[in-house]
Amino acid sequence: MLSSKLPKIWYGGDYNPDQWPKEIWHEDMRLFRLAHIDVATLPVFSWSLLQPEEERYEFGWLDEILDLLAKNGIYVCLATSTAAHPAWMARRYPDVLRVDFHGRKRKYGVRHNSCPNSPTYRHYSAELAGRLAERYKDHPTLVAWHVSNEYGGYCYCDNCARAFRRWLQRRYGSLDEVNERWNTRFWGHTFYDWDEIVPPNILSEHLSEWDHTRTAFQGISLDYSRFQSDSLLECYLGEYRRIKEHTPDVPVTTNFMGTYKPLDYFKWAPYLDVVSWDNYPSNRSEPWQVAFRHDLMRGLKEGMPFMLMEQTPSQQNWQPQNALKRPGVLRLWSYQAVAHGADTVMYFQLRQSRGACEKFHAAVISHAGHENTRTFREVAELGRELKELGDTLIDSRIEARIAILFDWENWWALEYSSGPSIDLKYIPQVEAYYAACWKQNLAVDIVHPDMDLSRYDVVLAPALYMARDGFPEKIQQFVEAGGTFVTTFMSGIVDENDLVILGGYPGALRKLLGLWVEEIDALFPDDENQVIIDEVPEELQGLKGTYSARLICDVVHSEGAEVLGVFGRDFYAGMPALTRNRVGKGYAWYVATSPEPALIERLIAQIAAQHGIAPVAEAPAGVEVTRRVKGGRGYTFYLNHNETGVEIDLGEAPRRELLSGRTLSGRVHLEGRGVMIVADA
Ligand code: GLA
Ligand code: ZN
């Protein structure tokens, strides 16, 4: 449980009272009570008010607001305010300012803008966190810590360059080793002195002003991504350690952003007491895209419940078109987060800003200033429901037997790679396999390749280009022991430095898959090939058919793998497109192209059936079903993403539905965008 002070799904969000006169604070309290809000996150962006001068700290206003919150029964997720440095700091200590990808030294402005290797930033951010922790360690409202905000972006300044060289020295020991790993004999890049190494950006190794993935040297760019992610993690840890000196038992987090590419969240997660994240889909996002991100965030700490730190009560301001959330969507998407493991439902923000770039971003309390708005009513109604749920769902877990592998370093490497196609992106490949599971309501965990896989029956690894040390052996054992492994084109090809594993693709996985790939063809966007599945063993009859194939087609030779599908066109027509290799008690599958969704869905259906993995429950299309389990009792979530109502069959036994309190059985109606949480009988 996050905090014994508040044993329920936390409800609240970012609160910026320092942007408002004090009279408003009292009105805020009244409205928070009406909306059943019990947690406020603050002060997220108040460094310049907390430390108006280098030698002077001002906590008086924060004391006052925290006391007022305490009086009103509202808890605090205390933020450290270090995501935007004060203007005076930038003027006095320019080392806090970043140098961007174009090599330009930034001036003071915006936020999330501090150089992660700035001695000034490191010192003063930790100092502020420490002072806040010391001052508020015993404050009755304190339930969690929110370090900085949405860490992100990279810096290319001289301090970063020096720190990068030290990072390389620690990682590789010698310059010879670096030259080897980066293959620097290519284009005569051999380094003879550490100081010859400079950050890879548009002034050095990068090839495109606008596409930051285009690099001449994958090795250096990949290491720079690792290094920048590590540098920001060091900033977080500087604050974390100071906080822990004073409040060892209060959970500390920083808010993540789902599939945010620049930071390796799997590497960060062990240092967070709880993962939290900010969910900002557009009205056009598919529900499975959102579900995937929730599962990814839950997977970072191997299934531990996470915090939904931010979502908008309605529209955003930073998308091209900022559509309103339609009636009922706020509730539906909030429960979707809970259905995937969230133990909090929180917003950005509680009161809408009057000026600057977020003034048109929705908030619980709008510019109108009162409770008579659609958004407020929806927020308040949800608050009431969450209050009534109490601690029923808190700490419950999701049980999955299918894992999808996800790896940030693989993402970087795959997309830094020049060729075979600029259309090849990691996320859509993973999403394709995730969506296939989602549509069948099969529970999935998202897992890092270094994590324990033995508790799964099925491991899916779309485009797992980079074979980490030890992974091929581990997955071999997994299959031998009876697991099913499915991987695709562009897998197992390179090592951790993007050096090709020689002897034929897919290098590290060749033996396990029982095949080799001689060539990799890239299709033009308007081209397609086919996967033809005709003669297959009895248990795979459901796969039969002809499917379109796009993006990439491998020219494959079987070395023992059973050929189940072949390409339909071009000079490799008749050659393997889908194979299965029996290894020990299990199977290793290879999908040599990017097929239409129907094939992936059928493939997963067949494999799940063979392992006796059933959907969480049967439901009509567009109804998402998940299950959280606590103390042996399951709670099944039905989320109707359709605008229209559907009929759900709950079976014979009467069961309690938590949101309505009714006891249900047999066929029940679930309205458009409706939600049910049904307890086991
Ligand atoms: C992010 C930030 C918030 C706010 C919202 C607006 O998630 O963390 O401070 O800017 O976006 O959507
Ligand atoms: Zn820097």
Side-chain angles (χ1 to χ4, degrees), residues 95 97-99 115-118 155-161 224 228:
D95 64 285
L97 296 169
R98 285 184 183 177
V99 167
C115 165
N117 289 296
S118 149
C155 178
Y156 302 86
C157 76
D158 291 343
N159 275 329
C160 283
Y224 204 72
Q228 282 286 315

Side-chain angles (χ1 to χ4, degrees), residues 14 45 111 149-150 255 278 280 310 318 348 358 361:
D14 278 28
F45 290 103
R111 62 173 180 176
N149 189 71
E150 293 189 337
N255 47 340
D278 302 343
Y280 289 101
E310 293 180 24
W318 45 265
F348 180 87
E358 287 175 344
H361 194 291

Side-chain angles (χ1 to χ4, degrees), residues 509-529:
L509 300 172
R510 181 176 166 182
K511 184 171 139 244
L512 174 65
L513 295 165
L515 53 81
W516 79 283
V517 174
E518 183 182 337
E519 295 180 279
I520 303 170
D521 195 16
L523 274 58
F524 289 97
D526 53 354
D527 267 358
E528 62 172 55
N529 205 313

Side-chain angles (χ1 to χ4, degrees), residues 541-608:
Q541 289 299 312
L543 289 180
K544 273 190 168 176
T546 299
Y547 305 90
S548 72
R550 295 180 173 275
L551 190 68
I552 301 284
C553 295
D554 285 341
V555 179
V556 180
H557 304 277
S558 170
E559 294 176 316
E562 228 177 309
V563 178
L564 300 168
V566 294
F567 284 111
R569 297 189 185 141
D570 222 313
F571 73 92
Y572 42 86
M575 294 183 75
L578 177 71
T579 65
R580 177 174 84 157
N581 196 32
R582 177 94 197 177
V583 178
K585 295 189 203 140
Y587 285 106
W589 291 74
Y590 191 69
V591 187
T593 183
S594 179
E596 65 179 279
L599 175 53
I600 303 178
E601 279 164 41
R602 289 180 192 171
L603 178 62
I604 286 172
Q606 295 288 324
I607 291 172

Side-chain angles (χ1 to χ4, degrees), residues 252-498:
V252 181
T253 189
T254 182
N255 47 340
F256 286 165
M257 293 175 274
T259 43
Y260 179 68
K261 191 176 172 188
L263 301 188
D264 181 353
Y265 287 153
F266 271 112
K267 195 160 181 201
W268 281 59
Y271 305 101
L272 274 64
D273 297 326
V274 55
V275 166
S276 65
W277 87 284
D278 302 343
N279 180 31
Y280 289 101
S282 97
N283 285 10
R284 298 245 167 121
S285 303
E286 296 288 346
W288 46 263
Q289 293 180 302
V290 182
F292 164 61
R293 284 154 180 85
H294 285 309
D295 283 354
L296 174 62
M297 295 293 100
R298 187 183 74 248
L300 296 176
K301 284 186 92 68
E302 297 185 74
M304 184 182 152
F306 59 90
M307 295 175 70
L308 177 65
M309 185 64 90
E310 293 180 24
Q311 63 171 343
T312 178
S314 185
Q315 66 196 153
Q316 293 141 28
N317 65 283
W318 45 265
Q319 301 210 7
Q321 292 79 26
N322 295 283
L324 300 173
K325 277 186 181 164
R326 268 43 199 173
V329 171
L330 168 63
R331 178 173 180 265
L332 175 65
W333 289 5
S334 298
Y335 283 118
Q336 187 186 26
V338 177
H340 285 271
D343 275 0
T344 74
V345 172
M346 291 162 63
Y347 298 108
F348 180 87
Q349 62 179 330
L350 299 186
R351 183 181 276 276
Q352 191 167 14
S353 298
R354 187 160 179 215
C357 66
E358 287 175 344
K359 67 177 180 300
F360 286 129
H361 194 291
V364 171
I365 306 167
S366 71
H367 289 151
H370 54 64
E371 63 269 43
N372 303 313
T373 64
R374 175 183 71 93
T375 298
F376 190 93
R377 280 191 295 274
E378 289 193 34
V379 167
E381 177 54 22
L382 178 59
R384 188 191 59 73
E385 281 185 351
L386 294 176
K387 191 169 212 166
E388 279 172 18
L389 278 175
D391 68 353
T392 313
L393 297 165
I394 292 296
D395 288 333
S396 58
R397 296 283 184 140
I398 287 168
E399 293 167 355
R401 292 167 61 192
I402 301 175
I404 298 183
L405 299 186
F406 192 89
D407 181 357
W408 261 265
E409 296 192 17
N410 178 66
W411 186 1
W412 296 334
L414 184 74
E415 294 182 9
Y416 273 140
S417 217
S418 185
S421 169
I422 59 161
D423 302 322
L424 173 58
K425 302 279 181 235
Y426 186 45
I427 300 296
Q429 293 309 314
V430 178
E431 282 183 343
Y433 284 79
Y434 183 87
C437 297
W438 186 92
K439 286 182 189 153
Q440 305 175 66
N441 287 313
L442 294 165
V444 169
D445 280 344
I446 311 295
V447 174
H448 187 274
D450 283 349
M451 286 176 170
D452 176 24
L453 302 177
S454 62
R455 60 186 151 132
Y456 298 102
D457 296 300
V458 178
V459 170
L460 311 175
L464 195 67
Y465 170 66
M466 180 190 286
R468 286 170 170 275
D469 285 351
F471 179 75
E473 297 76 22
K474 181 161 97 170
I475 200 69
Q476 176 94 21
Q477 284 167 13
F478 169 82
V479 176
E480 280 169 5
T484 295
F485 175 61
V486 181
T487 192
T488 72
F489 65 93
M490 289 303 279
S491 293
I493 294 182
V494 296
D495 69 7
E496 295 182 23
N497 294 98
D498 200 54

